[in-house]
Amino acid sequence: MSVMDQDSGMFKVQQTIGSVLCCKCGVPMPPNAANMCVNCLRSEVDITEGLQKSIQIFYCPECGCYLQPPKTWIKAQWESKELLTFCIKRLKNLNKVKLKNAEFVWTEPHSKRIKVKITVQAEVLNGAVLEQSYPVEYTVRDNLCESCSRFQANPDQWVASVQLRQHVSHRRTFFYLEQLILKHDAASRAIRIQQVDQGIDFFFGNKSHANSFVEFLRKVVPIEYRQDQQLVSHDVKSSLYNYKYTYSVKICPVCREDLICLPSKVASGLGNLGPLVVCTKVSDSITLLDPRTLRCAFLDARQYWRSGFRSALTSRQLVKYFVFDVEPPVGEATVGGQKYALSYVQIARESDIGKMFYVQTYLGHILKPGDQALGYDIYGANVNDDEMEKYRLSVRNGLPEAILIKKCYDEQREKKKGKPRRFTTKKLPMEMDESRGSRVDPEKMENEYEEFLRDLEENPELRFNISLYKNKDYQDSETASMTDGEGAPSVPIEELLAELELSEEEDDDNEEDMDE
């Protein structure tokens, strides 16, 4: 049958695909090189012959790792991409065919069986291409890895330990670091975690795991560390040495919201910044802000440890002020996504309302008359810092009477006292070390953890790199949602993750549905 082409005015013959009869069963089919239909071709040729249909793998129930022969252990979650890749790599003779697809077939987690549906292609009779799927069953055998078996035999038989310390009077840095470790799963190889005074100890069964953990710490906080080793045993005949390795890691003592008086060499190296500055952020570098000019600078770990300056005043010494008057901003700046506005305010200490101060602050965009703010009382503080004394003597007009650090929401939070928060956090499985006589005060730690949660609510940049979860005990009400905009800041519901937890009743219901 022909059809006229309107563009060229000529007739074109439509091409139709012919069909032939299968040489085996006589069914009409599209022609191929073997002249056989797919069913007959599969009955004649099995391209999965010689491929593994069942295999045994070893799983460590303590750390959740799978053995990649000969001695490598790979961590993978159930039905994850990593586990699928591991299962495919364990198959032999798979290079004889072309792998097209692989997917998990659902099995009970407690059945100790993993089933994977493999789809392969291969050339058969006279160059015809045949595609075929077949299941592979993996039998999971429990077998402790080397580090876990060593720990089960003797919990103190570790190979490497990381002693993480910060010589400050609070643990806010460790609370934040704990959330970073949980999000990145950095301490998954630790066989034991111990909480001590002014720090945390991590114990590993392998030196390489401790090295990886120290490298992770270097990327998130300014640290310096020292490595030591102690000889445990020595085999003279084979010249084998057994060592225990210890990494002494010291975190920078400068924390967020600390007031610092920079040494003259450091200030000149930063373009004559300050020298009276406020630390606004601590990550792999330290962010410093001049509260009177809104200039900022960044110090990495190498630059900081070269000078090693300390904070003149810390967040433990913050004083509450009442704000009576706020003038319009005279300047604005954005540092690391955080907005600042330079304004003059009239304030008074909570303990001495009669004494007024007229100071400059970088909080002009959020303060208004009647608010409360937390700041450093330089007018009445007893500062034991040599750099601060030098700067006090060199300045004609003297130091500012106060430096405001952040807005205070104590009155708004008092209304919500005792009520659960919208979010919750996870915690590392830490043991308390009581052998050294340095017990941690639980009441003090609870108060510091409460301050850390308040910092998360007030600072969106602080919670950007950590995971927060929805609190099941929190019930949002209409009155609470109406007052949240005028009250204390809270974490938006969009930033919270839902933690998946399956109860036994839900599991039973799912099994009954499947049986039906």
Side-chain angles (χ1 to χ4, degrees):
M1 182 178 180
S2 59
V3 179
M4 178 176 289
D5 190 354
Q6 295 181 359
D7 297 334
S8 60
M10 300 181 64
F11 288 96
K12 286 188 177 181
V13 179
Q14 289 185 346
Q15 295 183 357
T16 58
I17 300 176
S19 61
V20 298
L21 300 179
C22 174
C23 64
K24 288 285 185 181
C25 62
V27 174
M29 66 168 194
N32 57 33
N35 287 329
M36 276 193 265
C37 64
V38 177
N39 294 330
C40 294
L41 197 58
R42 287 177 178 173
S43 64
E44 290 291 327
V45 181
D46 184 12
I47 62 175
T48 64
E49 185 178 359
L51 302 180
Q52 285 184 296
K53 305 293 195 306
S54 63
I55 190 172
Q56 182 173 299
I57 58 177
F58 295 96
Y59 170 75
C60 178
E62 293 294 327
C63 60
C65 297
Y66 293 86
L67 176 62
Q68 178 73 44
K71 292 183 178 181
T72 306
W73 290 85
I74 300 174
K75 188 174 183 62
Q77 300 294 331
W78 184 261
E79 293 192 355
S80 62
K81 294 181 180 179
E82 294 79 9
L83 182 57
L84 185 60
T85 304
F86 165 77
C87 292
I88 294 175
K89 287 184 178 179
R90 291 301 313 274
L91 296 176
K92 297 179 181 179
N93 301 328
L94 200 59
N95 55 352
K96 295 181 179 180
V97 294
K98 183 179 180 182
L99 180 65
K100 294 296 293 182
N101 188 30
E103 58 183 6
F104 285 107
V105 178
W106 187 85
T107 56
E108 289 284 354
H110 56 76
S111 65
K112 299 297 182 181
R113 296 291 187 274
I114 299 176
K115 290 185 179 181
V116 179
K117 182 181 178 183
I118 306 290
T119 304
V120 294
Q121 275 187 357
E123 288 189 3
V124 290
L125 301 175
N126 300 325
V129 178
L130 180 63
E131 182 174 308
Q132 189 172 348
S133 299
Y134 69 100
V136 180
E137 183 176 296
Y138 297 83
T139 305
V140 182
R141 301 295 183 189
D142 289 343
N143 187 19
L144 294 178
C145 62
E146 184 180 355
S147 59
C148 292
S149 60
R150 188 186 299 114
F151 176 73
Q152 290 288 340
N154 184 5
D156 293 328
Q157 196 171 358
W158 48 269
V159 175
S161 69
V162 178
Q163 298 176 351
L164 190 60
R165 299 290 184 271
Q166 186 184 32
H167 300 294
V168 293
S169 59
H170 57 82
R171 299 183 66 89
R172 291 167 60 189
T173 303
F174 290 106
F175 290 138
Y176 179 67
L177 192 58
E178 180 183 13
Q179 299 306 316
L180 289 177
I181 292 173
L182 285 169
K183 180 174 182 179
H184 297 278
D185 206 14
S188 59
R189 300 283 188 174
I191 59 178
R192 186 157 55 98
I193 304 175
Q194 201 169 61
Q195 182 174 333
V196 298
D197 188 26
Q198 293 188 339
I200 306 174
D201 290 345
F202 297 85
F203 298 91
F204 298 90
N206 197 315
K207 182 187 175 183
S208 61
H209 300 163
N211 278 329
S212 301
F213 184 69
V214 173
E215 286 300 318
F216 168 78
L217 294 176
R218 289 181 58 185
K219 296 177 182 178
V220 295
V221 286
I223 64 169
E224 68 171 356
Y225 70 94
R226 187 188 68 190
Q227 177 186 345
D228 298 314
Q229 61 184 22
Q230 180 184 3
L231 181 63
V232 177
S233 61
H234 172 215
D235 189 353
V236 180
K237 294 182 180 180
S238 58
S239 295
L240 293 178
Y241 295 83
N242 255 349
Y243 288 99
K244 277 192 173 182
Y245 302 91
T246 302
Y247 294 83
S248 300
V249 182
K250 185 166 64 173
I251 303 177
C252 160
V254 176
C255 301
R256 197 174 59 87
E257 299 175 352
D258 284 0
L259 182 66
I260 306 163
C261 189
L262 296 175
S264 57
K265 289 185 178 180
V266 178
S268 61
L270 297 175
N272 291 325
L273 182 73
L276 208 59
V277 295
V278 176
C279 177
T280 59
K281 183 181 178 182
V282 178
S283 55
D284 56 341
S285 61
I286 304 172
T287 306
L288 303 175
L289 175 70
D290 190 337
R292 295 196 290 182
T293 63
L294 297 185
R295 290 179 56 204
C296 71
F298 303 92
L299 277 178
D300 58 18
R302 181 178 55 84
Q303 291 173 318
Y304 171 77
W305 293 111
R306 189 185 301 167
S307 56
F309 56 85
R310 296 184 66 89
S311 302
L313 294 172
T314 66
S315 58
R316 305 291 93 185
Q317 299 165 283
L318 287 172
V319 178
K320 187 182 293 186
Y321 288 87
F322 289 107
V323 180
F324 292 95
D325 188 23
V326 180
E327 295 186 1
V330 296
E332 294 183 355
T334 303
V335 180
Q338 192 75 19
K339 183 181 177 182
Y340 300 103
L342 199 61
S343 300
Y344 287 91
V345 295
Q346 189 176 14
I347 58 175
R349 289 176 295 189
E350 184 186 30
S351 59
D352 187 8
I353 299 293
K355 183 68 175 177
M356 294 287 183
F357 299 105
Y358 186 72
V359 297
Q360 203 175 23
T361 180
Y362 56 85
L363 303 176
H365 60 297
I366 58 175
L367 290 181
K368 60 182 184 295
D371 286 344
Q372 297 179 1
L374 294 176
Y376 292 111
D377 182 16
I378 302 179
Y379 174 80
N382 185 12
V383 182
N384 186 16
D385 187 77
D386 295 337
E387 297 296 335
M388 182 79 84
E389 291 299 323
K390 293 179 183 177
Y391 182 57
R392 187 194 298 271
L393 297 174
S394 62
V395 178
R396 289 184 179 180
N397 300 328
L399 299 178
E401 290 85 358
I403 295 181
L404 300 183
I405 300 299
K406 61 181 179 179
K407 188 176 179 179
C408 182
Y409 299 94
D410 286 350
E411 291 184 355
Q412 293 87 340
R413 287 196 172 96
E414 191 67 27
K415 301 177 183 178
K416 300 181 180 180
K417 190 174 182 181
K419 298 181 181 179
R421 278 186 168 84
R422 181 181 292 171
F423 68 95
T424 183
T425 58
K426 291 185 177 181
K427 293 187 178 181
L428 287 172
M430 288 189 287
E431 305 173 0
M432 299 295 294
D433 182 22
E434 301 179 359
S435 60
R436 304 178 186 179
S438 56
R439 295 186 59 183
V440 181
D441 187 4
E443 184 177 355
K444 178 185 176 183
M445 182 176 295
E446 186 177 351
N447 294 334
E448 291 175 351
Y449 186 70
E450 176 67 22
E451 293 180 7
F452 169 68
L453 296 180
R454 292 180 180 181
D455 290 342
L456 291 180
E457 291 176 335
E458 297 174 8
N459 195 338
E461 189 179 2
L462 190 64
R463 59 178 184 263
F464 178 75
N465 294 321
I466 64 177
S467 298
L468 301 178
Y469 300 89
K470 295 179 181 178
N471 189 359
K472 297 184 294 183
D473 299 332
Y474 176 79
Q475 294 181 354
D476 198 1
S477 61
E478 295 182 0
T479 56
S481 60
M482 291 173 61
T483 57
D484 279 349
E486 301 177 358
S490 59
V491 181
I493 193 68
E494 296 82 10
E495 298 183 15
L496 303 182
L497 303 175
E499 188 174 2
L500 180 62
E501 291 184 359
L502 294 177
S503 61
E504 295 181 358
E505 296 180 358
E506 291 177 350
D507 292 341
D508 295 340
D509 294 341
N510 293 336
E511 291 178 0
E512 292 177 1
D513 294 341
M514 293 183 64
D515 294 339
E516 293 176 358

